[in-house]
Amino acid sequence: MMFKNYIKTAWRSLKKNKAFTAINVLGLALGLTACLLIVLYVVDELSFDRYNTKADRIYRVNEDLKLGNNTVNYAVAMPPLAQTLKTDFPDVEDAVRLKRTASHVKKGTENILEYNIAFADPSVFNVFTLPMINGNPATALAEPNSVVITETTAKKYFNSINVVGKTLLMDQANCKVTGVIRDMPKTSHFNFDFLISMSSWPDSKSDKWLRSDYNTYILFRKGADPKKLEARFPQFLRKYSGSEMQTDLNLSVDEFEKGGSYFRMNLTPLTDIHLHANRTGELGSNSTMEYIYIFSAIALFILFIACVNFMNLSTARSSNRAREVGVRKVLGSSRGSLIVQFLTESMLVTLGATLIALAAATLLLPAFNQLAGKEILINSHTYVWLLPVSLIIVLVIGFLAGSYPAFFLSAFQPVDVLKGKLAGGFKGGWLRSFLVVFQFAISIFLIIGTLVIYNQLNYIQNKNLGYDRKQVLIVKKAFELGKSAAAFKQQVKQLPGVADATLSGFLPTEQARSTSIFNKDAGMLDQKNAIFPQTWAVDPDYIKTLGMKMTAGRNFSAQMSTDSSAVVINETAAKFLGFDNPVDKLLYQALDGKHTKVKVYHIIGVVKDFHFNSLRENISPVILRLGEDTGDLSIRVSTSNLPALIAQIKQKWSGLSTSHFEYSFMDQDFDATYRSEQRIGKIFIVFTTLAILIACLGLFGLAAYAAEQRTKEIGIRKVLGANVTVIVSLLSKDFIKLILIAIAISSPLAWYLMHKWLQDFAYRVNIHWYTVAVAGMAAMLIAFITISFQSIKAALANPVKSLKSE
Amino acid sequence: MIKITDLEKFYRTEEVETIALNKLTMEVRKGEFVAIMGPSGCGKSTLLNILGMLDDPDAGSYVFNDIEVAHFNERKRADLRKHNIGFVFQSFNLIDELTVFENVELPLIYTGVAAADRVKRVEPVLDKMQIMHRRNHYPQQLSGGQQQRVAIARAVVNNPKLILADEPTGNLDSSNGNDVMELLTDLNEQGTTIIMVTHSEHDARYSHRIIRLLDGHTVMENIMI
Ligand SMILES: Nc1ncnc2c1ncn2[C@@H]1O[C@H](COP(=O)(O)OP(=O)(O)OP(=O)(O)O)[C@@H](O)[C@H]1O
Ligand SMILES: [Mg+2]
């Protein structure tokens, strides 16, 4: 009964001050919506791979290799590793290998190139939780040429999910469908549509220990200690790879390690892969914990800003309500019941805001998914945690935001209030000033952060990469043409609108990579001077077609028969080799471990460094040699009528092959590499804008109250001769001062933290002083516009009216 | 000094149109001390606000020091006002956040007097109003009579030719009220023209002439001397 009364009074009071209530509810709802979306994002990121019921017992085995100047951290391991670990260590309950591949799959007369395919050991269904709808998981991948497909894939190829026993023609081989599984969850670090039995892939039986090809996962027995297993890895590796090292590299493990090189293994918990792993040979593009921290911080910031608004507006209003408090107290209301009254009001506002936020977040989720590249769903599982969390939010924020005004206002002495002693309550709010400073410090911080991220992304977009990615059309999988690949290239080169073309799968924007060891002399492996460069087979048109620049020597020539042993190296390779003048120097490649057979290469030129990794990494050495790699045909086009040209190229392709014709554009492939960064950048911008908007909403409210509080003063000043400019600056001065303090606090901090963020990029922009200045000015301008709206209104008001209202 | 002819002022609200001043004509000469009296709501404050150029009339003519100001825009009126007119209100209208000294200094700031000169001009006025010892106090720390003396100090600090006072003793007891009236009389004797609205026959006796406003139109004059 009493409680109902509180709610009724609170409701009336909120209704009476519509503008105040609107700003509060709106600001808080906006903040909560943003916060909620980020929480959904973070929860989604943190839930990666947790759909596996045995997730806590699954670990990936990684390889770290250092040879000479090169270090590589692999997410892939040796072919025999999985089986050997399972046999040697009783703690390992099971192990599975995955190997990514791509293949043409026949659907009717069409040949579709599928990328989400992996070879998998039969144990894959024991280790991972991939529920099978049709088929027997125990035996599904036992036989060669068996394939398990997902529901969606089954529907795509057969229009049905009862397809066990049917066959799929994959790269000319008949594969028997032995199972249909549910689609892999989006929150998996790998996502395959087809799993082919590992036994279909002959190389999987290799017993080589100096190779890294297979993503290898082990399942520990319950209660086993992964640390103990890791401790035994060095011994294990020595046992199995020692002899191979001796024959292949002509080195004992001790000699190898004495030379500063190493070959190690370690474990990554399955649930850490998505956010903590970024190795060579990952099965998908992972995210990083850094972004989780950044977004969580933004969410907290936004929530904080919204709460501060609430508190500030409530206390600002306190002097208006002081009289009400005074009268209530004179009439016998206790302090306690006043506190409850104010808290009820603030909880009511928070409740309203939370309900709006829940609705808004649900409505905005599709757009947010689009922005973030996610498939987050709000379903009954979400509500299981979302509703209690919302309730806690209402209580906590309602209390926090309401407590200051509640305790502050209820402490008013009725005599003081009625005497008007608290009329000047607005100015005395040092806490309010402090909070406004804090709010704007955060906003300015976010503006600077956004500017730096934006600049860096822009820099990546426009950086001279050492090759020209514009106007390059890539025809994929030219190896499908077999021996006719060269003929295809010649035919394409004849087409009008084609400037040049080159056959090679080793492209800066593609995945194909190959490394091998080169020495500066013909003798034994010299670990100090050996380099471990990317070794790419290209044709004489490669450098020209991709618009790379030679800095010394010459390009390959089809006319020079000796060019079969010629190489063009990049500037970094020259630096690693320590050649001041690399042209005409020789390089040696051992063809066996004893170095009895050695291939001699002759450096004919140096190509300007070009980027082929993420700009987060430094350029590594590259050696280009003449070879016949037919991975892709890259075509430099010089026509505006691309569709026509593509049609012509496709026609040539169809004349030579029945396979599906696939192509892409090099600049789009490049952009895809940075899609996650672009996304992060966009999300950042959206939420920063929101944060600033909310902060301004609060400032708008505060300015309104300041103006209202000072109506009388403004009236008097106008009577005494103050003009509009004087009044506006009078009202803005206090706020501008606070914002200046905010700038002073936040800019060094932002500079420092963003500087640290940029360190992750080997190639990065500098933070210029004017970035900070622009952010400060922007905040100042936004704040000023917000305030002036109110100040000008106050300054233009008729003083006669202002004085009369007294 | 002041000559108004057929002055009109209406207030329009949603339902009714109130005629506050209806073709009012009157004149005040330089150096006069005039009291305006009349029943509540007859338009005294409205008249005073127009005379003080805080408000503009809807029709009629207002000549101030031989200048027609009825059609002046806000900026021009403000300019004329701050150099020539001082105000004293019933509710004092001091700024709570400023000290006594700062309150009195304010008009000088708005007329662009240099800081050093301002001190030289404020202090004698505070002295004369006998509130020098309170110069660093805030309005709430003063009694009503003291506050009104601060307000009068503020009204005269700029040496205005005209002081407009709207019920200056309305919030004061009789002894404080008499002090204020003495101060106004002194000022008048030194040459300042004073127009004062009052409900008190007692206060009105300090003036030279009483203008009685009945309904925003009718004027009856009592010459006191
Ligand atoms: N802003 C306004 N809006 C509408 N009507 C107004 C307004 N100001 C004054 N009035 C009306 O104009 C008339 C004159 O008001 P004014 O304040 O001049 O009276 P007054 O003679 O000063 O009265 P009092 O002795 O009570 O102070 C009154 O009828 C009043 O209701
Ligand atoms: Mg009046």
Side-chain angles (χ1 to χ4, degrees):
Chain A
M1 196 58 227
M2 192 65 190
F3 189 64
K4 203 175 144 200
N5 205 32
Y6 283 130
I7 292 192
K8 206 166 82 189
T9 319
W11 178 248
R12 279 194 195 145
S13 158
L14 291 173
K15 242 172 72 179
K16 208 176 93 199
N17 297 283
K18 285 207 185 72
F20 163 84
T21 310
I23 286 186
N24 261 347
V25 173
L26 202 71
L28 204 55
L30 213 59
L32 283 174
T33 309
C35 207
L36 209 60
L37 289 175
I38 296 179
V39 167
L40 287 171
Y41 177 89
V42 167
V43 165
D44 186 76
E45 286 281 289
L46 292 176
S47 71
F48 260 71
D49 293 311
R50 286 184 205 274
Y51 69 91
N52 289 292
T53 50
K54 300 169 189 163
D56 54 326
R57 290 193 284 137
I58 305 173
Y59 286 74
R60 188 178 70 193
V61 191
N62 308 308
E63 247 184 65
D64 291 339
L65 176 65
K66 182 167 191 273
L67 188 66
N69 290 319
N70 290 70
T71 317
V72 194
N73 299 317
Y74 289 107
V76 282
M78 319 75 156
L81 179 68
Q83 188 51 46
T84 316
L85 283 174
K86 195 172 156 184
T87 342
D88 284 15
F89 299 106
D91 272 355
V92 178
E93 185 182 307
D94 210 342
V96 61
R97 294 173 302 170
L98 295 174
K99 181 167 174 59
R100 173 184 276 289
T101 183
S103 165
H104 281 99
V105 183
K106 194 146 186 148
K107 182 191 179 190
T109 54
E110 204 185 349
N111 244 338
I112 302 172
L113 183 56
E114 295 279 0
Y115 288 102
N116 293 329
I117 305 183
F119 292 109
D121 285 319
S123 49
V124 66
F125 299 115
N126 181 38
V127 176
F128 297 107
T129 308
L130 301 169
M132 199 171 274
I133 314 169
N134 276 312
N136 178 2
T139 55
L141 291 178
E143 299 297 319
N145 294 327
S146 310
V147 62
V148 170
I149 56 178
T150 61
E151 235 179 310
T152 307
T153 314
K155 284 182 193 142
K156 174 171 163 191
Y157 283 90
F158 301 107
N159 268 324
S160 154
I161 55 166
N162 294 314
V163 296
V164 172
K166 302 213 168 165
T167 49
L168 275 173
L169 190 64
M170 303 179 74
D171 276 350
Q172 269 80 48
N174 269 314
C175 288
K176 196 170 137 206
V177 177
T178 51
V180 177
I181 53 172
R182 292 223 181 284
D183 289 355
M184 296 190 184
K186 250 275 175 176
T187 51
S188 171
H189 79 281
F190 56 74
N191 229 297
F192 296 113
D193 300 326
F194 301 80
L195 292 173
I196 306 176
S197 52
M198 190 59 90
S199 48
S200 327
W201 177 246
D203 179 74
S204 65
K205 290 161 193 108
S206 158
D207 57 358
K208 284 285 187 189
W209 283 88
L210 288 187
R211 282 184 37 194
S212 328
D213 298 279
Y214 294 86
N215 295 84
T216 305
Y217 302 83
I218 53 177
L219 173 67
F220 279 98
R221 260 178 228 296
K222 282 200 179 85
D225 182 2
K227 284 269 165 300
K228 278 201 189 123
L229 182 69
E230 248 178 343
R232 295 174 66 182
F233 278 164
Q235 170 95 54
F236 173 87
L237 258 182
R238 195 172 273 260
K239 176 173 159 196
Y240 287 102
S241 68
S243 62
E244 212 170 294
M245 198 172 271
Q246 194 70 55
T247 47
D248 284 10
L249 298 177
N250 201 20
L251 286 174
S252 73
V253 176
D254 289 324
E255 284 166 333
F256 181 74
E257 284 177 354
K258 227 176 258 150
S261 306
Y262 58 70
F263 185 41
R264 296 173 186 156
M265 278 168 31
N266 59 53
L267 296 173
T268 305
L270 176 68
T271 49
D272 278 2
I273 292 176
H274 178 66
L275 292 174
H276 297 276
N278 182 21
R279 293 171 159 264
T280 306
E282 294 283 351
L283 284 175
S285 65
N286 295 333
S287 179
T288 107
M289 206 54 199
E290 191 187 11
Y291 292 140
I292 301 298
Y293 291 136
I294 292 180
F295 284 134
S296 307
I298 294 183
L300 281 180
F301 282 167
I302 291 182
L303 196 59
F304 177 82
I305 292 177
C307 286
V308 165
N309 278 353
F310 193 1
M311 275 175 84
N312 275 350
L313 290 177
S314 304
T315 49
R317 212 162 61 106
S318 64
S319 38
N320 286 15
R321 301 196 64 181
R323 199 166 295 274
E324 174 194 337
V325 172
V327 173
R328 277 177 190 272
K329 277 200 163 180
V330 168
L331 296 179
S333 172
S334 74
R335 185 167 177 211
S337 74
L338 278 172
I339 291 178
V340 174
Q341 182 63 57
F342 285 120
L343 286 182
T344 310
E345 226 174 88
S346 112
M347 301 260 180
L348 220 55
V349 168
T350 322
L351 183 69
T354 309
L355 290 178
I356 293 176
L358 280 174
T362 312
L363 282 176
L364 288 174
L365 196 59
F368 179 71
N369 275 335
Q370 181 108 29
L371 177 75
K374 290 248 167 224
E375 280 178 15
I376 303 168
L377 283 175
I378 295 185
N379 51 29
S380 52
H381 292 292
T382 325
Y383 283 119
V384 167
W385 59 265
L386 193 56
L387 289 182
V389 164
S390 306
L391 195 69
I392 292 172
I393 287 177
V394 172
L395 292 176
V396 171
I397 296 185
F399 184 80
L400 278 184
S403 61
Y404 180 71
F407 291 98
F408 174 76
L409 280 174
S410 62
F412 284 176
Q413 291 304 307
V415 207
D416 294 341
V417 176
L418 297 178
K419 260 197 202 156
K421 262 202 182 157
L422 291 156
F426 187 83
K427 272 206 151 176
W430 64 267
L431 179 71
R432 192 160 45 241
S433 308
F434 174 77
L435 291 175
V436 169
V437 167
F438 211 51
Q439 264 188 325
F440 269 82
I442 291 173
S443 300
I444 293 160
F445 180 94
L446 290 177
I447 298 178
I448 296 176
T450 311
L451 284 178
V452 172
I453 290 178
Y454 182 81
N455 279 346
Q456 175 67 18
L457 291 176
N458 211 30
Y459 171 80
I460 289 174
Q461 280 293 310
N462 297 319
K463 182 167 172 41
N464 183 351
L465 298 167
Y467 65 94
D468 182 5
R469 65 180 187 275
K470 307 250 154 60
Q471 300 274 338
V472 179
L473 178 77
I474 301 173
V475 177
K476 305 265 170 178
K477 284 199 136 188
F479 58 77
E480 299 275 355
L481 300 169
K483 296 221 182 339
S484 346
F488 177 59
K489 174 182 158 183
Q490 286 315 319
Q491 292 179 11
V492 168
K493 274 180 93 164
Q494 305 301 317
L495 292 173
V498 171
D500 224 328
T502 179
L503 263 180
S504 172
F506 298 102
L507 295 172
T509 52
E510 292 279 284
Q511 299 289 324
R513 297 290 180 254
S514 164
T515 47
S516 44
I517 305 170
F518 285 84
N519 286 299
K520 275 160 81 172
D521 49 59
M524 303 295 270
L525 171 64
D526 171 4
Q527 293 186 54
K528 286 274 183 309
N529 282 317
I531 66 165
F532 196 52
Q534 293 290 328
T535 316
W536 295 357
V538 302
D539 65 16
D541 296 325
Y542 186 82
I543 290 174
K544 241 178 336 134
T545 307
L546 297 184
M548 294 173 178
K549 299 265 175 310
M550 299 295 294
T551 58
R554 63 173 179 86
N555 190 359
F556 299 108
S557 157
Q559 277 75 48
M560 310 266 281
S561 57
T562 51
D563 272 5
S564 61
S565 66
V567 291
V568 170
I569 64 176
N570 73 349
E571 293 169 311
T572 304
K575 205 165 4 146
F576 268 65
L577 287 163
F579 291 141
D580 285 335
N581 201 351
V583 176
D584 285 337
K585 296 276 189 325
L586 299 179
L587 287 176
Y588 303 89
Q589 192 178 29
L591 297 178
D592 65 0
K594 299 273 188 297
H595 284 233
T596 46
K597 275 194 251 155
V598 173
K599 180 152 181 159
V600 185
Y601 285 99
H602 169 208
I603 302 176
I604 56 165
V606 179
V607 64
K608 191 171 158 44
D609 273 344
F610 56 91
H611 289 270
F612 58 92
N613 283 328
S614 152
L615 289 180
R616 286 180 184 269
E617 291 156 44
N618 280 305
I619 293 176
S620 58
V622 176
I623 291 186
L624 302 175
R625 63 175 181 81
L626 270 190
E628 275 163 18
D629 186 275
T630 53
D632 304 294
L633 182 71
S634 308
I635 304 162
R636 175 158 298 283
V637 297
S638 56
T639 172
S640 49
N641 191 354
L642 264 175
L645 180 62
I646 291 169
Q648 283 174 299
I649 295 172
K650 186 174 177 182
Q651 200 189 345
K652 299 281 179 221
W653 172 278
S654 309
L656 295 166
S657 166
T658 54
S659 295
H660 193 74
F661 174 77
E662 279 230 4
Y663 66 91
S664 69
F665 294 99
M666 197 173 220
D667 47 358
Q668 286 169 7
D669 289 354
F670 173 83
D671 289 346
T673 326
Y674 291 97
R675 193 155 294 150
S676 84
E677 264 99 355
Q678 304 278 8
R679 275 207 184 110
I680 300 292
K682 271 190 212 148
I683 300 177
F684 205 80
I685 290 172
V686 166
F687 285 107
T688 303
T689 315
L690 259 179
I692 296 165
L693 197 74
I694 299 171
C696 281
L697 204 61
L699 197 64
F700 185 79
L702 273 189
Y705 274 106
E708 188 186 313
Q709 284 295 313
R710 298 174 78 170
T711 317
K712 182 188 142 198
E713 177 189 340
I714 293 165
I716 299 169
R717 285 179 188 268
K718 283 191 81 176
V719 168
L720 298 177
N723 57 27
V724 175
T725 328
V726 171
I727 304 287
V728 170
S729 69
L730 178 81
L731 284 171
S732 312
K733 205 176 59 192
D734 292 343
F735 289 114
I736 298 299
K737 233 189 286 171
L738 297 182
I739 287 159
L740 279 176
I741 298 173
I743 291 175
I745 293 172
S746 65
S747 32
L749 207 67
W751 187 88
Y752 173 74
L753 286 174
M754 291 321 290
H755 191 73
K756 270 189 89 171
W757 178 75
L758 283 173
Q759 299 305 307
D760 279 356
F761 290 87
Y763 301 90
R764 56 182 177 255
V765 289
N766 288 319
I767 307 178
H768 296 289
W769 64 267
Y770 51 76
T771 309
V772 177
V774 162
M777 297 280 272
M780 187 75 98
L781 194 73
I782 294 170
F784 187 74
I785 292 170
T786 310
I787 300 162
S788 350
F789 187 78
Q790 297 293 349
S791 318
I792 291 173
K793 205 171 99 188
L796 290 177
N798 187 342
V800 177
K801 270 191 198 133
S802 326
L803 294 184
K804 197 162 189 175
S805 64
E806 254 306 284
Chain B
M1 174 176 221
I2 286 173
K3 186 168 162 48
I4 55 174
T5 321
D6 292 340
L7 206 64
E8 288 181 35
K9 179 79 187 172
F10 317 108
Y11 291 110
R12 273 172 212 96
T13 53
E14 277 120 48
E15 311 97 55
V16 285
E17 186 183 274
T18 317
I19 303 173
L21 297 175
N22 187 8
K23 296 210 179 274
L24 186 73
T25 300
M26 61 174 264
E27 195 171 347
V28 177
R29 284 180 303 280
K30 202 166 183 294
E32 263 195 305
F33 187 161
V34 178
I36 299 177
M37 298 191 75
S40 190
C42 69
K44 304 183 292 295
S45 295
T46 306
L47 173 61
L48 215 61
N49 288 334
I50 292 174
L51 292 178
M53 296 175 218
L54 295 175
D55 221 344
D56 47 358
D58 291 315
S61 134
Y62 172 18
V63 177
F64 181 86
N65 272 344
D66 303 328
I67 309 168
E68 172 62 58
V69 298
H71 60 273
F72 267 25
N73 65 18
E74 169 146 7
R75 178 182 294 265
K76 276 183 171 171
R77 276 191 275 139
D79 221 43
L80 202 60
R81 179 171 72 227
K82 68 184 173 193
H83 288 107
N84 293 294
I85 306 173
F87 291 89
V88 179
F89 301 94
Q90 172 179 6
S91 53
F92 323 135
N93 278 337
L94 299 175
I95 294 175
D96 295 330
E97 289 79 14
L98 301 182
T99 62
V100 166
F101 183 90
E102 289 162 346
N103 262 294
V104 177
E105 186 189 23
L106 220 45
L108 298 176
I109 294 179
Y110 294 138
T111 43
V113 178
D117 292 340
R118 295 204 292 265
V119 179
K120 270 186 237 150
R121 284 172 63 176
V122 173
E123 284 181 344
V125 180
L126 290 178
D127 244 349
K128 196 159 107 192
M129 301 294 153
Q130 296 166 12
I131 39 171
M132 190 60 183
H133 58 298
R134 298 283 189 165
R135 54 176 291 168
N136 291 325
H137 287 213
Y138 287 90
Q140 283 121 342
Q141 298 167 316
L142 305 178
S143 73
Q146 287 167 331
Q147 288 191 44
Q148 194 61 301
R149 272 184 273 152
V150 176
I152 294 173
R154 191 179 62 184
V156 302
V157 71
N158 235 346
N159 293 324
K161 301 182 182 65
L162 173 67
I163 287 183
L164 298 173
D166 197 347
E167 300 182 45
T169 62
N171 280 357
L172 301 177
D173 62 28
S174 58
S175 116
N176 274 320
N178 287 341
D179 287 352
V180 165
M181 289 317 298
E182 297 292 343
L183 278 170
L184 289 178
T185 311
D186 283 355
L187 286 169
N188 178 247
E189 276 162 10
Q190 285 154 32
T192 314
T193 312
I194 295 179
I195 303 176
M196 172 183 79
V197 169
T198 183
H199 281 291
S200 146
E201 293 287 346
H202 169 81
D203 289 352
R205 266 181 233 128
Y206 287 88
S207 69
H208 307 159
R209 175 160 71 106
I210 302 176
I211 296 177
R212 291 190 193 270
L213 223 51
L214 296 183
D215 54 4
H217 174 60
T218 321
V219 181
M220 250 173 62
E221 295 194 21
N222 295 32
I223 311 290
M224 304 299 290
I225 307 164

